[in-house]
Amino acid sequence: MPNRLAHETSPYLLQHADNPVDWWPWSPEAFAEARRRDVPVLLSVGYSSCHWCHVMAHESFEDDTTATQVNERFVAVKVDREERPDVDAVYMEAVQAATGQGGWPMTVFLTPDAAPFYFGTYFPPESRHGLPSFRDVLDGVSRAWTERRDEVGEVAGNIVKDLSSRSLAYGGDGVPGEEELAQALLGLTREYDATRGGFGGAPKFPPSMALEFLLRHHARTGSEGALQMAADTCEAMARGGIYDQLGGGFARYSVDRDWVVPHFEKMLYDNALLCRVYAHLWRTTGDDLARRVALETADFMVRELRTAEGGFASALDADSPVEDGGETSGDERHAEGAYYVWTPAQLTEALGEEDARDAARYFGVTDEGTFEEGASVLRLPPDTGPVDADRIASIKERLLAVRARRPRPGRDDKVVAAWNGLAIAALAETGALFDRPDLVERATEAADLLVRVHMGEGARLSRTSKDGRVGANAGVLEDYADTAEGFLALAGVTGEGVWLEFAGFLLDIVLDQFVAEGGALYDTAHDAETLIRRPQDPTDSAAPSGWTAAAGALLSYAAHTGSEAHRAAAEGALGVVKALGPRAPRFIGWGLATAEALLDGPREIAVAGPADDDLARALHRTALLAPAPGAVVAFGTPDSDEFPLLRDRPLVDGEAAAYVCRHFTCDAPTTDPAELARKLGR
């Protein structure tokens, strides 16, 4: 019989709805039940595309004996970290403080008052590799709760006290300037892997936000070193196994330093951010590889992640079904990467011997393999010899058709507001830069969904939806900030001022509900559910933090409207970049990119003219092609009241004209696209 999770919208929670564990969703009722029964809470946090979450679920949560032990001694609460990033952040901070590390699945034992007292991540069904078995952990925690309750209470109280007393030094002594950004660049240079691209060692993550900073720094200062690091890293990733050489799109990270073997899950936020980076790299250099990767990644998002309602799903799993050989043939199991990897024999079966030999050479498929069981991840090794482009295109098309018949990885169909905001920005800009109106249309449809479903008729933004049904969880800071970022990009590309209006609505809520004294920002609203600590983290991780994303969106909105309140809030938030940028530039890349926009103005470009006028369209395209950091673009007729930038910006001698401004103070207008390009640094 399904448990309580059967009524949830999260695909991750629904995956556990038939477990014998009597799961509860995170709710006051779950903790009330723990108090009534006088038992601790087992909190298990994960997400749909998490490989080890699936492993622990299969080994322990689907096991009747283990489930009986859980049900008799605990109230079990399952949380999708992507639906409740606030819950995840608070308890992950406790796990990391206690153990020095973290990860998912996250396993935490709480008192009925939600205070944590014992921590871990993945626990195996049998003791191995220094890890106790999950059943032993359950037994030990239960005995401690029964026999040493005072000690448990003391530990929990000390942990909560420690977490509550932590204060965040965010700067507050001004915005970052030339010195801090130069120090950040130096810090990235020291950590740069000049041989392989990227920063640091294995595992190696795509540094999308640091790359955006490097591109903006080059645009503002002309630094060739910054551009070289960005371009070489983008090429290394695009040629590596982390990039899907057949279907486009990026995997989550590379397990090695050379970008050869990925962790195969594909996340919407990674692909949205990287699509935008490659489009911006092309805008700067005209590089054909950057153009191809930007478009292929955009097409991947539309083809593989777009939902029936017009939004974008969260992720594709790393695992996919495979059929066991031998005695267990016919029984389905799941294996990581099975959908993507190839052996020489599989190439021969798909292509024939001659084309298979060329495909193996071109994609680096060897008899030994680069992955497991002799399989290889497709990549583009250097020095593969002469290439017949038409033949390779035919080979890719045939391999993709064969791959499409393999069992597909699972898809997490929930629509997350923040990540859809990132996708809207990426698709809108990529569509505009490469003359792909279909991509702009897909971005607009996703924006419509966020307005219609996630904003609805209420005054606030909901974090998730699935199948057009809005979830129960309130939006957090990143949802407001990234959705506003997407709307602002869409406004600049389409010339439709309604998106500027929607962005302003969301950012006014940021000012009202998320800003603390001195310019700091909280991840949750002032009136959000009270947890043991109010989460607050300015560091960029897999995606921009809510803090730095809000700073960027606030600054762009201020540039569009002249609002001093929004600019002041952006500057206040950027105090943290002054504090952290020189010391940890890899972990505040979006903040550094926003600081580059602040130092550049940012530039405000008003293109006055009707949308059906050839000159107006040429000026608009020139403005969008500008590499000026964080530049905002308003396009429409001078009498339009949708864009404040267009007010008092008339046509020139009856012709469309472009105005380049800072702080609403403009240079002389131009009717010449080439002159506009020169003004904007192209």
Side-chain angles (χ1 to χ4, degrees):
M1 178 181 296
N3 56 48
R4 295 170 186 83
L5 301 185
H7 304 293
E8 297 298 307
T9 58
S10 159
Y12 175 65
L13 298 187
L14 291 171
Q15 288 168 3
H16 294 80
D18 292 316
N19 289 171
V21 173
D22 187 21
W23 291 113
W24 292 69
W26 179 275
S27 60
E29 291 78 11
F31 290 94
E33 177 69 5
R35 284 190 290 272
R36 185 187 71 79
R37 291 176 50 197
D38 191 28
V39 295
V41 171
L42 163 62
L43 173 64
S44 177
V45 182
Y47 58 105
S48 178
S49 58
C50 165
H51 172 73
W52 287 103
C53 299
H54 291 307
V55 172
M56 189 168 176
H58 178 67
E59 292 174 339
S60 296
F61 301 143
E62 295 173 10
D63 178 71
D64 289 330
T65 302
T66 304
T68 298
Q69 192 175 359
V70 170
N71 296 339
E72 289 178 351
R73 304 182 188 182
F74 303 90
V75 168
V77 174
K78 177 63 76 172
V79 168
D80 182 343
R81 67 175 294 259
E82 296 174 347
E83 278 201 335
R84 289 301 302 263
D86 52 341
V87 172
D88 176 65
V90 165
Y91 291 103
M92 183 59 73
E93 186 177 7
V95 171
Q96 291 173 329
T99 68
Q101 59 187 5
W104 298 277
M106 177 168 60
T107 307
V108 187
F109 293 89
L110 316 176
T111 70
D113 294 323
F117 64 88
Y118 188 80
F119 314 89
T121 52
Y122 164 78
F123 289 107
E126 309 293 341
S127 300
R128 59 175 181 252
H129 305 307
L131 288 174
S133 74
F134 187 51
R135 291 185 196 171
D136 286 344
V137 170
L138 294 172
D139 185 61
V141 170
S142 180
R143 281 190 286 106
W145 179 259
T146 302
E147 300 170 8
R148 303 194 307 276
R149 181 75 62 87
D150 290 345
E151 181 181 335
V152 168
E154 183 178 357
V155 168
N158 288 338
I159 291 170
V160 172
K161 182 178 179 181
D162 175 64
L163 292 175
S164 300
S165 65
R166 295 184 181 194
S167 61
L168 183 62
Y170 61 85
D173 55 350
V175 298
E178 295 282 359
E179 181 180 353
E180 287 83 9
L181 296 182
Q183 290 175 351
L185 178 63
L186 180 61
L188 286 175
T189 303
R190 288 171 177 158
E191 295 186 66
Y192 180 64
D193 186 338
T195 303
R196 306 166 185 86
F199 303 94
K204 190 173 277 186
F205 290 78
S208 52
M209 290 149 285
L211 293 174
E212 185 67 30
F213 160 62
L214 292 172
L215 290 174
R216 289 187 180 191
H217 188 77
H218 165 75
R220 188 178 62 83
T221 69
S223 168
E224 289 302 322
L227 178 60
Q228 198 67 51
M229 282 192 285
D232 288 352
T233 297
C234 284
E235 180 175 358
M237 291 191 301
R239 298 181 68 88
I242 192 173
Y243 183 68
D244 183 350
Q245 302 297 336
L246 297 184
F250 288 85
R252 181 70 195 88
Y253 61 85
S254 173
V255 301
D256 58 275
R257 299 180 65 180
D258 295 291
W259 308 105
V260 174
V261 178
H263 181 49
F264 290 90
E265 62 184 327
K266 285 181 170 181
M267 314 301 294
L268 175 61
Y269 50 75
D270 283 321
N271 284 283
L273 290 164
L274 288 166
C275 177
R276 206 175 183 190
V277 164
Y278 279 87
H280 291 174
L281 176 61
W282 172 84
R283 185 171 64 184
T284 301
T285 66
D287 180 69
D288 286 339
L289 178 62
R291 180 185 188 278
R292 175 171 68 81
V293 171
L295 285 169
E296 288 178 352
T297 303
D299 286 335
F300 156 74
M301 286 191 287
V302 172
R303 183 182 67 250
E304 302 288 343
L305 295 178
R306 188 167 180 265
T307 69
E309 295 74 32
F312 291 91
S314 297
L316 298 181
D317 287 357
D319 303 353
S320 55
V322 295
E323 189 176 84
D324 284 327
E327 295 180 1
T328 60
S329 181
D331 291 336
E332 187 180 88
R333 64 182 176 90
H334 287 72
E336 184 179 0
Y339 185 71
Y340 300 101
V341 298
W342 297 81
T343 63
Q346 288 171 326
L347 290 180
T348 300
E349 183 180 356
L351 301 170
E353 290 188 7
E354 184 178 354
D355 283 350
R357 282 195 301 271
D358 286 347
R361 173 178 57 84
Y362 183 75
F363 289 119
V365 177
T366 65
D367 291 332
E368 298 79 12
T370 57
F371 187 52
E372 299 170 352
E373 301 177 358
S376 292
V377 182
L378 301 190
R379 54 196 174 92
L380 301 180
D383 304 323
T384 56
V387 172
D388 182 333
D390 290 339
R391 188 162 179 232
I392 290 298
S394 172
I395 285 172
K396 289 175 65 173
E397 184 178 351
R398 289 150 64 195
L399 289 178
L400 191 61
V402 171
R403 191 178 81 176
R405 295 195 290 270
R406 294 175 174 178
R408 301 178 67 83
R411 187 172 86 159
D412 184 335
D413 280 334
K414 72 174 176 295
V415 171
V416 176
W419 308 343
N420 273 255
L422 296 175
I424 290 164
L427 293 173
E429 291 187 356
T430 302
L433 293 180
F434 301 119
D435 195 23
R436 284 282 303 275
D438 59 306
L439 296 179
V440 179
E441 188 175 348
R442 299 294 87 76
T444 303
E445 289 164 352
D448 284 336
L449 177 72
L450 293 185
V451 171
R452 187 177 70 255
V453 175
H454 289 244
M455 295 170 65
E457 297 180 1
R460 303 291 272 275
L461 181 68
S462 295
R463 179 163 175 83
T464 61
S465 68
K466 185 178 183 297
D467 301 327
R469 174 187 166 199
V470 69
N473 298 305
V476 295
L477 179 59
E478 70 164 348
D479 294 305
Y480 285 88
D482 287 335
T483 299
E485 175 79 13
F487 289 172
L488 289 166
L490 197 57
V493 165
T494 63
E496 296 175 4
V498 65
W499 300 116
L500 178 63
E501 183 180 346
F502 281 133
F505 172 79
L506 295 174
L507 292 172
D508 283 344
I509 295 175
V510 170
L511 296 183
D512 181 62
Q513 286 289 329
F514 293 90
V515 177
E517 184 178 352
L521 291 162
Y522 285 105
D523 293 336
T524 55
H526 296 326
D527 57 4
E529 177 186 354
T530 301
L531 303 174
I532 59 170
R533 169 178 168 81
R534 190 175 180 189
Q536 183 185 42
D537 186 1
T539 57
D540 300 324
S541 181
S545 68
W547 187 314
T548 60
L554 288 163
L555 182 63
S556 294
Y557 184 75
H560 261 294
T561 63
S563 168
E564 288 300 325
H566 291 83
R567 186 178 179 93
E571 292 178 354
L574 287 174
V576 74
V577 181
K578 183 171 185 175
L580 296 183
R583 293 188 284 130
R586 282 173 58 193
F587 303 103
I588 198 150
W590 194 255
L592 290 166
T594 301
E596 287 289 347
L598 182 70
L599 286 188
D600 196 59
R603 239 78 67 91
E604 304 148 0
I605 310 165
V607 178
D612 60 353
D613 179 78
D614 289 343
L615 176 59
R617 287 200 299 267
L619 291 169
H620 183 218
R621 177 167 175 77
T622 301
L624 294 173
L625 285 167
V632 302
V633 179
F635 176 37
T637 55
D639 57 355
S640 169
D641 59 358
E642 292 186 320
F643 288 99
L645 266 176
L646 290 170
R647 293 171 191 157
D648 302 319
R649 311 280 186 255
L651 305 182
V652 173
D653 296 330
E655 289 192 310
Y659 297 77
V660 179
C661 319
R662 286 185 174 92
H663 309 292
F664 271 59
T665 299
C666 304
D667 296 340
T670 180
T671 59
D672 181 2
E675 182 183 350
L676 176 61
R678 287 192 296 272
K679 284 175 175 282
L680 295 172
R682 294 190 68 248

